[in-house]
Amino acid sequence: MHYLFHFLLLILRNFLQLGDMSDKENGPPEGSAWAELKLPDLLFTDTIRELHAAIGKEWDSLQQSACQTAAGRAMWKHVVHDPVAGLLAGETHLKSFYDKINKDRLNNAREISGVILAVRTLWFDSKLEAALSSFNGGEAQVVLLGAGMDARAYRLSCLKESDVFEVDFPEVLQIKTSLLQAAMEPTNEYQHLRMTAKSLTRVAADIREHDWVEKLQKSGFLREKNTVWVLEGILYYLSHSQAMQVLKMIADNCCVTHTVLLADFMNKSSTMLSTSTFHFYSDWPDHLLPTLGFSDVKLSQIGDPDANFGLMHDPLNMFNKLRSLPRSVQTHPDDGTPCRRLYLVQASGSPR
């Protein structure tokens, strides 16, 4: 359930600001990373073609957005190191994302498609590494809820002392596993790919149901062990009651052990982009989470010093324009457009 991609496209479609600038402000110089689309050779083998054909036929639009997210990471490989993103994305999604980026560059767009996704990925990576380093020896559990095509267990060295749990629908995890197994066969281009996490356990569960924590524990999750929970591009697809239930279950762990939550939240205006797709929102997640049991909450917006990564220089970029306004402002005073925000939130708590 890794579905931020829909939000990226909707918000860019509604707010794209065009100007007289090169993509040097929000991406690499002309002729570098996006000059030519190079597809992994493995995508053209019968095994991988069959797997991605099954995704195209059997997965709904929300499940397929896991591949779209992987495609975004593959296209922004100059800043996001994810060697298998292209393989997990598939040819169709890679070509679609590449076309969107080229269109933005031709129009001298201030925001190139996928820049939110790139910043968000880097933010989660950096906060995850910092959280693990705060634990003694870096040993902990990391739970990825709605893991989709996430490959952190194969690309982040900071996970070397951590047990990783990926939670998602069974059909998503099954095909993802098959893709990675095929990639690591001795004759393939990804044969040297190795897991960087101490261990990886995939848990087939729907977090909208009440039994996902039980399934997680049966798979080896230990409540008393330091844990980082990663909720990336997932909360706003849940109903209010479902999202609150998930957050409360995670917050309850603060009473047992050191617990860190990394999540992104839409504000109400953002969910109005598609009321049939987006449901849960919070205009003030930094006020909400302490009521559930988290003692320390830090909130960032795209473009903030810890959510920039050199990709948000232009002051007229729509994200920087929003950052200059108080969060209580619902419509932009310049043009009357809704202030649609995506918050990146780190929360933590412990028994002491």
Side-chain angles (χ1 to χ4, degrees), residues 29-66:
E30 183 75 25
S32 58
W34 297 318
E36 181 183 357
L37 177 61
K38 295 181 180 179
L39 298 174
D41 293 338
L42 195 57
L43 286 179
F44 302 102
T45 62
D46 291 341
T47 299
I48 303 301
R49 280 187 180 276
E50 290 174 6
L51 290 169
H52 277 292
I55 290 175
K57 293 178 181 178
E58 300 169 11
W59 288 16
D60 61 28
S61 59
L62 293 183
Q63 291 170 323
Q64 287 198 38
S65 66

Side-chain angles (χ1 to χ4, degrees), residues 63-316:
Q63 291 170 323
Q64 287 198 38
S65 66
C67 296
Q68 294 166 337
T69 298
R73 288 178 175 149
M75 290 296 99
W76 284 78
K77 62 184 178 182
H78 52 286
V79 292
V80 178
H81 177 64
D82 190 339
V84 293
L87 173 69
L88 297 174
E91 180 181 1
T92 299
H93 297 296
L94 286 172
K95 287 183 176 179
S96 176
F97 215 118
Y98 179 74
D99 290 343
K100 291 181 177 69
I101 285 176
N102 270 343
K103 183 178 180 180
D104 289 342
R105 295 175 71 219
L106 288 172
N107 290 331
N108 289 325
R110 293 192 185 278
E111 298 85 27
I112 304 297
S113 289
V115 67
I116 307 177
L117 195 152
V119 169
R120 186 202 68 179
T121 298
L122 294 170
W123 184 89
F124 273 91
D125 286 353
S126 64
K127 297 303 181 184
L128 175 57
E129 181 175 5
L132 293 174
S133 66
S134 71
F135 301 140
N136 291 330
E139 185 176 354
Q141 297 171 131
V142 175
V143 182
L144 307 172
L145 293 187
M149 293 298 184
D150 191 296
R152 284 187 169 90
Y154 293 87
R155 66 180 184 83
L156 293 185
S157 59
C158 64
L159 296 173
K160 62 183 179 180
E161 300 297 333
S162 298
D163 299 308
V164 177
F165 296 87
E166 295 183 348
V167 182
D168 212 321
F169 297 122
E171 57 269 30
V172 172
L173 296 178
Q174 181 179 3
I175 287 189
K176 176 183 180 180
T177 301
S178 298
L179 285 168
L180 290 171
Q181 287 176 342
M184 291 186 286
E185 290 180 0
T187 57
N188 290 332
E189 59 190 295
Y190 298 99
Q191 60 181 288
H192 299 298
L193 179 68
R194 294 292 182 270
M195 191 170 65
T196 55
K198 180 182 178 181
S199 69
L200 173 60
T201 304
R202 295 190 171 101
V203 183
D206 185 346
I207 65 170
R208 297 173 298 185
E209 305 296 334
H210 292 274
D211 62 348
W212 67 270
V213 173
E214 180 183 352
K215 290 180 178 179
L216 185 59
Q217 291 176 323
K218 287 182 177 179
S219 299
F221 174 81
L222 302 174
R223 283 199 67 196
E224 63 275 11
K225 192 173 182 180
N226 293 340
T227 305
V228 181
W229 299 81
V230 178
L231 281 68
E232 189 177 13
I234 179 173
L235 280 172
Y236 24 84
Y237 291 93
L238 307 178
S239 68
H240 182 81
S241 60
Q242 291 165 349
M244 290 299 291
Q245 179 194 45
V246 168
L247 291 172
K248 186 66 170 68
M249 287 180 172
I250 295 172
D252 286 346
N253 256 40
C254 294
C255 300
V256 180
T257 189
H258 190 172
T259 302
V260 177
L261 169 71
L262 302 176
D264 55 334
F265 291 75
M266 283 185 181
N267 69 346
K268 185 176 182 179
S269 294
S270 293
T271 61
M272 294 297 103
L273 285 167
S274 177
T275 56
S276 62
T277 302
F278 306 129
H279 307 290
F280 176 72
Y281 67 87
S282 178
D283 290 299
W284 303 93
D286 45 338
H287 296 177
L288 168 67
L289 293 175
T291 68
L292 301 179
F294 292 100
S295 56
D296 184 30
V297 181
K298 299 176 182 177
L299 178 145
S300 301
Q301 296 186 67
I302 304 292
D304 280 352
D306 69 334
N308 189 311
F309 304 99
L311 301 175
M312 296 289 166
H313 297 304
D314 181 20
L316 295 182

